Amino acid sequence: MLSLTAAFAAVGSTIPLFNVYRAQDGFTNADISMTVVAYSAATISTLLVLGRLSNHVGRRPTALVSLGLLLLGCLVLLNVHHIGVLIAGRLLMGLGAGLASSSLTAFIVDTAPTKPAWLASVASSQTVMLGLAIGAIASGALVQFGPWPRDLIYLISVGLLVVSTVLIAISPDTVTAVGGAWRSLHPTVRVPVRVRPLLAVTAVVLLSTWATGAFYQAFVPALVEDQLRTHSSLVLGLVFAAYMAPSALSAPLSGRFAPAGAQRVGMVAFCAGWTGIITAIATGALPLFIAATIVAGAGQGIAISGTTRGLLHASSQADRAPIFAVVYLLSYSGATIPSLISGQLSNTFSLPKIALGYGASALVATLFTVIAARNPHTGTTSRHDECTRQTSTPA
């Protein structure tokens, strides 16, 4: 978990610097949006090609490569004065994050205790959010109060990634290397037959929540400065963390519900949060914006953890890396496609109007989830029995 946290803290560290790059280097909102697209597209490509590799060569080697790519991305970002350099650094981070998303998350599930039942799904799905929040807060504080505001957070991230690399290198692998590594590189998307009925709602939950995460990366820096009237890098980091941290902290609450119930409850809270976000943007109320962001983030955490728990139900060790590859493929698709579209639209439409479009998509996703969510069903176990078992799991 420490390595996955460090990996995504490095990814989150760039967010508070976007306004610095806008002010000092003349980057536009469309430029910043393209960096989000580059990061997400690299992650998707890695998941498609390398998502199953750790099943064949082991979790440890793939995890080490992922940390190395993230470290290289941080080094590139030490010299950002042109949008091409920022895109290149974020692309390297995307490659590393994609490999970490399948290998390190599967590593966590392999080594997690079986009780409480929700622990593996929460740890694997929400450590990413926690890392992003930590990275954003630390970066915002260092940009505002520390020396070398454009560089220090990346140097610290390099140090943490080096420590994580050493810890992974001395950890025992959970998978024995087997043949078929080259065949596993053929781009495929595969999940066990038993979870395929869950994929429609899974896609809707992940696409909508991660689209919002990308919105916070690409457009909230400008919104906080222009609409909510604050130039504080620390406030910007806290705003981003207000979406990511509640996701991780509220995720254990999903264990009080069956997976479908967690999806419904989480998405309703997510939609309520978006209602508050749009209201705050319209009125220029920063406290309301932060409060609504916390509600949306908490809802995201409950919904995503319930979704992950349903997919992991009765999974084998060989199923986990492919399942997480599909989970993050959907997630980063949600981050990439809306960012690409809205980045182009930002040249025509104001940021409040773009936010309204994201809010409308959150409403549609919530309605679909409330109607279509269902619990995992395997063998002869009835849905009622599964609901009962999951509901009785202590949080």
Side-chain angles (χ1 to χ4, degrees), residues 136-299:
I137 293 174
S139 177
L142 291 173
V143 168
Q144 186 162 345
F145 301 113
W148 317 314
R150 295 172 65 114
D151 301 326
L152 184 56
I153 186 61
Y154 297 131
L155 294 173
I156 292 173
S157 295
V158 166
L160 291 174
L161 290 169
V162 168
V163 172
S164 298
T165 299
V166 172
L167 292 175
I168 292 292
I170 63 177
S171 299
D173 209 325
T174 58
V175 171
T176 302
V178 295
W182 283 110
R183 290 192 301 274
S184 75
L185 301 184
H186 296 163
T188 56
V189 177
R190 179 186 66 82
V191 293
V193 174
R194 61 179 175 75
V195 304
R196 290 177 188 172
L198 308 177
L199 286 181
V201 173
T202 294
V204 167
V205 169
L206 295 176
L207 289 171
S208 60
T209 54
W210 278 67
T212 298
F215 168 81
Y216 270 73
Q217 292 184 53
F219 298 111
V220 165
L223 273 172
V224 167
E225 186 171 286
D226 301 338
Q227 304 296 133
L228 303 176
R229 302 178 183 86
T230 177
H231 300 281
S232 170
S233 297
L234 178 57
V235 169
L236 176 55
L238 289 171
V239 167
F240 183 74
Y243 182 65
M244 295 301 174
S247 178
L249 297 175
S250 67
L253 293 177
S254 71
R256 297 184 178 274
F257 305 94
Q263 289 173 321
R264 292 188 180 103
V265 170
M267 289 302 291
V268 168
F270 175 71
C271 188
W274 255 111
T275 302
I277 289 167
I278 292 170
T279 303
I281 292 172
T283 59
L286 179 61
L288 175 59
F289 187 86
I290 293 175
T293 295
I294 291 171
V295 172

Side-chain angles (χ1 to χ4, degrees), residues 34-87:
M34 285 306 300
T35 69
V36 176
V37 171
Y39 167 80
S40 302
T43 305
I44 290 171
S45 301
T46 306
L47 288 167
L48 280 172
V49 178
L50 303 177
R52 297 176 295 154
L53 186 62
S54 70
N55 280 348
H56 299 275
V57 302
R59 309 289 194 224
R60 184 170 58 187
T62 48
L64 290 173
V65 172
S66 73
L67 293 171
L69 288 167
L70 286 160
L71 193 153
L72 183 59
C74 288
L75 293 177
V76 169
L77 292 175
L78 286 171
N79 189 33
V80 174
H81 293 287
H82 186 274
I83 189 61
V85 176
L86 180 57
I87 290 175

